[in-house]
Structures are given as structure tokens and as C-alpha cells.
Amino acid sequence: MGKTYSENYAEQDRICTENKAIVEFFLRSFRENHPELELGTRFYTDVTVIVGPNAQEGYKYLTEKRPDLYERYKKDELSVYNIKWAGVTFVIEHKKMFFDDGKFYINPMDIPVSAIMICEGKEFAVPVEIASAVVKLYGAQEYRSAIYCAHQAQMERMTKINN
């Protein structure tokens, strides 16, 4: 028998908590180490990861200043994540997997090999441990949301059956 919704949710919540702490600590340290930036209080404790560049700064930066990265993103050669409310975009290159046909394919579960963060129109190098935490946090947040929705749907079905 598989895990219950509660067990799966608790497991994903643990992964979220661990990786959120890593990303949040990085963002807070980054803010403290870069007083020249006008970050203010943009780094909230709500560290929600969204796939793709943020609608304003990240997208504009990638399309105007780094079209090479944007083209690689469109070809799925790079992953791009946005931290909601923080105004930062992570551009992460993953380890590539090669197959017999000579083409390479990106496996989202592979370890990141390099990463940058775009913040206020500038690029900053990011340790791969932070990039890995961003990727894991995104996956766990998405999976946790799906588990929650499935559990809610099951509860609604059971309520209808019992009434």
C-alpha cells in the first residue's frame, strides 16, 4: 500500500522547509552583502519559487541583455526560476545526459552545474548548492500543492457520497 496523502504531504513539506531555509538564508546574506542595491525589504520570508523568469526584470534582462541565455532557455537547455516577490531570477544549467543519437536531453533531476542570479539588471554567480535548493524547493512546492488538491478533491467526493 502506498503512502497516504498526509504522509506524502509531510514528506514534501519537510523538503520545502529544508530548502526554503537554504534559499532564504542565501537571499538575506546577499542583501546584507550588497548594500549598493536597492533591495529594501523585497526578500520576504515567503520564498515561493515559480518557473520561468519574472515578468519584469528577469524577462527583460534575458531578452535584451542576454538573448543567448534566453534562446537556450527556450530550447530547454537551461532552467529559469523566479523567487516570487524577491525580484530575482535564477538561471541554472543542468548536467546534460547524452544518448546514442548524439542529442542531449536535460533531466530536471540532474545536479545543476552552474547558475547565475539576475537582480536589479545585474548578474551574480550563485553556488550550485543554492541552485540545487531552488530546484528542489520548486519541485517540492509544486508536488505539495498537487497532493493538497488531490486530498481536497477526495474529501469532497467522500462528502458527496456520504450525503
Side-chain angles (χ1 to χ4, degrees):
M1 185 170 153
K3 292 181 182 177
T4 66
Y5 285 125
S6 296
E7 291 168 332
N8 281 325
Y9 188 89
E11 180 180 341
Q12 296 308 309
D13 198 49
R14 178 191 54 77
I15 295 169
C16 285
T17 301
E18 291 170 358
N19 289 288
K20 177 185 175 284
I22 293 168
V23 175
E24 186 177 349
F25 179 79
F26 172 77
L27 292 175
R28 287 182 187 275
S29 296
F30 179 82
R31 180 178 61 193
E32 291 169 7
N33 294 328
H34 293 280
E36 76 279 7
L37 299 177
E38 297 179 16
L39 298 172
T41 58
R42 291 196 302 178
F43 294 146
Y44 297 100
T45 57
D46 175 14
V47 181
T48 301
V49 181
I50 302 170
V51 72
N54 64 22
Q56 299 165 354
E57 185 178 327
Y59 180 79
K60 184 177 179 181
Y61 185 89
L62 288 173
T63 57
E64 293 178 7
K65 293 186 180 177
R66 290 299 305 270
D68 58 319
L69 293 180
Y70 187 67
E71 286 302 314
R72 290 182 67 200
Y73 165 65
K74 289 190 330 188
K75 294 177 184 176
D76 290 328
E77 294 177 4
L78 299 171
S79 297
V80 178
Y81 298 95
N82 167 36
I83 304 296
K84 183 178 169 183
W85 308 117
V88 296
T89 298
F90 288 90
V91 179
I92 302 170
E93 181 176 7
H94 293 276
K95 187 176 183 182
K96 296 174 184 75
M97 295 178 62
F98 291 88
F99 292 93
D100 290 338
D101 62 4
K103 296 178 183 176
F104 70 89
Y105 300 88
I106 298 170
N107 182 344
M109 299 308 289
D110 280 348
I111 298 171
V113 293
S114 69
I116 61 169
M117 182 176 76
I118 300 167
C119 181
E120 293 190 10
K122 297 176 186 163
E123 288 182 28
F124 299 90
V126 175
V128 291
E129 295 82 11
I130 302 304
S132 181
V134 168
V135 172
K136 289 176 186 173
L137 181 57
Y138 172 74
Q141 286 174 339
E142 288 291 303
Y143 189 38
R144 185 179 61 178
S145 295
I147 293 167
Y148 178 80
C149 291
H151 183 65
Q152 291 300 105
Q154 181 187 42
M155 297 299 285
E156 287 178 22
R157 280 193 306 276
M158 295 306 289
T159 301
K160 287 179 183 177
I161 291 171
N162 292 331
N163 287 338

